[in-house]
Amino acid sequence: MAAAPRPGSSPRGNRGKKGPLKGTGGHGRKSLEGKGPTPKAEDRVYHKAHRSKQLSERSSAKRGGGRNTRSRHSDETVAGRNSVVEALRASIPAKALHVASRIDMDERVRAALTMAAERGIPVMENSKPELDRMTEDAVHQGLVLQVPPYDYADALDLATETMEKWVKGYTTAPPLFIALDGITDPRNLGAIIRSASAFSAHGVVVPSRRSVGVTATAWKTSAGAAVRVPVAQAGNLNTTLQEFKKLGMFVLGLDGGGEQTLPGLPLATDPVCLVVGSEGKGLSRLVRENCDQIISIPIASSTESLNASMAVGISLYEISVLRSGDRPLATAEENGPEGQD
């Protein structure tokens, strides 16, 4: 009989070899180690969360690197036949006119199609569900106008450029700006832009946060003046007003409790930025502190306050009259201790 192999010895033919035999589990050790933790859903290319992450990153990349953040928001829509016709008549910029398939034609639809053709606005045919999604289920009556986001100027850049042109004699009128503090009604903004255009103001400044922007409603209220008067955006209104003062501009706040009355405004012929607050709260504390003067408009005691756009319109008219020389400027003695030195 053959002797039994010694403990630990290899079978015949494999003597002297070290390590695992061919076909054993040596090659399977790596598989036993595992593949690590399961990747997040957003990192798995086949998962819908991965697509959402990509879209979010692209959107963030488009928004980054600039100060005019609001101008990069998504498109706005104007829904409804009357609203669309009014928006087109007000010359609101538009990317496309969306019309429902097999829409019932009436005078408003025909007018919208005619104006879109005259302005070269593309007309797109959509199903009702598509229009519902586009307008977030608003009552669109089969007619939707796609409005691109407003392209805001930078407040400091616009003021600097305007001051330089005036100092060099390229323009004769001293710079005139209107800044909004806490105004959220787009109709107020539209009316202010309209007044700014009527009295040759150089721009309107709106804060980038907690403030009204140039929406379709503001465009309509301005009656097309938003095309002629630039609306600039300020990241921080107080910081911007301080920079305006460094440029040589006087910052005048409109408030019912001001010591300086509007008629005969001493600083009217200098570079000026008028600041108007909301009808309810008025100017904020920090904005008041950054104003060189607080101006009040004399009104009947039975009336608490003027609408913001109305106060701006009256003030701009007075400045226009004083700059034209049709009315003399008030002296420091006539305006009391708070008048111009």
Side-chain angles (χ1 to χ4, degrees):
M1 293 180 59
R6 290 174 297 173
S9 64
S10 301
R12 187 184 299 270
N14 288 305
R15 289 195 179 116
K17 292 187 178 180
K18 298 181 180 180
L21 297 176
K22 183 176 181 180
T24 67
H27 295 292
R29 276 202 294 250
K30 292 182 180 180
S31 64
L32 297 175
E33 293 173 357
K35 298 181 180 180
T38 303
K40 296 180 180 179
E42 61 185 23
D43 295 329
R44 285 178 257 164
V45 295
Y46 52 82
H47 200 284
K48 63 179 181 180
H50 178 74
R51 176 63 176 167
S52 299
K53 179 184 178 182
Q54 285 184 321
L55 293 174
S56 177
E57 290 175 349
R58 290 175 187 172
S59 177
S60 299
K62 291 179 180 179
R63 290 195 301 267
R67 286 175 283 187
N68 299 341
T69 55
R70 189 188 281 126
S71 66
R72 294 172 172 82
H73 285 181
S74 59
D75 293 346
E76 188 182 357
T77 58
V78 178
R81 300 188 181 190
N82 287 333
S83 297
V84 168
V85 171
E86 291 174 5
L88 288 170
R89 284 176 179 164
S91 300
I92 292 178
K95 293 178 65 174
L97 175 64
H98 297 267
V99 183
S101 304
R102 297 186 295 276
I103 188 172
D104 293 331
M105 297 292 291
D106 64 7
E107 184 178 345
R108 296 168 298 178
V109 176
R110 284 191 288 270
L113 292 172
T114 299
M115 287 186 283
E118 291 173 349
R119 292 178 51 187
I121 300 172
V123 177
M124 315 291 290
E125 186 175 345
N126 301 85
S127 65
K128 183 181 181 302
E130 289 174 331
L131 295 180
D132 291 340
R133 287 193 295 271
M134 185 182 301
T135 60
E136 297 181 353
D137 294 322
V139 180
H140 50 73
Q141 300 172 301
L143 211 57
V144 176
L145 190 66
Q146 186 178 357
V147 181
Y150 184 80
D151 187 16
Y152 293 89
D154 179 77
L156 186 56
D157 291 344
L158 180 62
T160 302
E161 180 182 355
T162 305
M163 285 290 292
E164 288 178 350
K165 289 181 178 179
W166 178 67
V167 170
K168 293 178 180 179
Y170 298 153
T171 58
T172 56
L176 177 58
F177 287 84
I178 304 101
L180 278 55
D181 177 28
I183 293 180
T184 57
D185 188 346
R187 290 168 295 184
N188 260 337
L189 173 58
I192 289 171
I193 294 173
R194 191 171 183 179
S195 295
S197 176
F199 296 108
S200 302
H202 295 92
V204 176
V205 178
V206 296
S208 59
R209 293 170 294 180
R210 295 185 293 275
S211 173
V212 65
V214 184
T215 63
T217 300
W219 267 103
K220 286 192 293 185
T221 309
S222 75
V227 176
R228 300 183 293 275
V229 179
V231 178
Q233 194 176 75
N236 184 290
L237 182 59
N238 287 293
T239 301
T240 300
L241 294 178
Q242 293 169 4
E243 294 297 327
F244 279 15
K245 293 165 73 171
K246 292 178 182 179
L247 291 173
M249 200 179 302
F250 288 99
V251 177
L252 309 179
L254 293 177
D255 194 273
E259 297 84 1
Q260 170 72 55
T261 56
L262 184 63
L265 183 65
L267 297 174
T269 56
D270 291 294
V272 164
C273 177
L274 285 174
V275 189
V276 59
S278 63
E279 185 175 350
K281 298 180 180 179
L283 298 174
S284 62
R285 179 183 61 84
L286 290 177
V287 168
R288 287 180 66 94
E289 292 176 357
N290 281 307
C291 291
D292 296 299
Q293 285 185 343
I294 303 297
I295 312 300
S296 63
I297 301 174
I299 56 177
S301 58
S302 59
T303 305
E304 293 184 1
S305 62
L306 293 172
N307 175 273
S309 59
M310 186 180 297
V312 170
I314 294 172
S315 303
L316 290 176
Y317 169 76
E318 180 67 14
I319 291 174
S320 177
V321 170
L322 294 173
R323 288 186 172 186
S324 66
D326 292 341
R327 185 182 303 154
L329 296 171
T331 62
E333 290 76 13
E334 291 172 332
N335 285 281
E338 293 298 321
Q340 184 181 22
D341 293 334

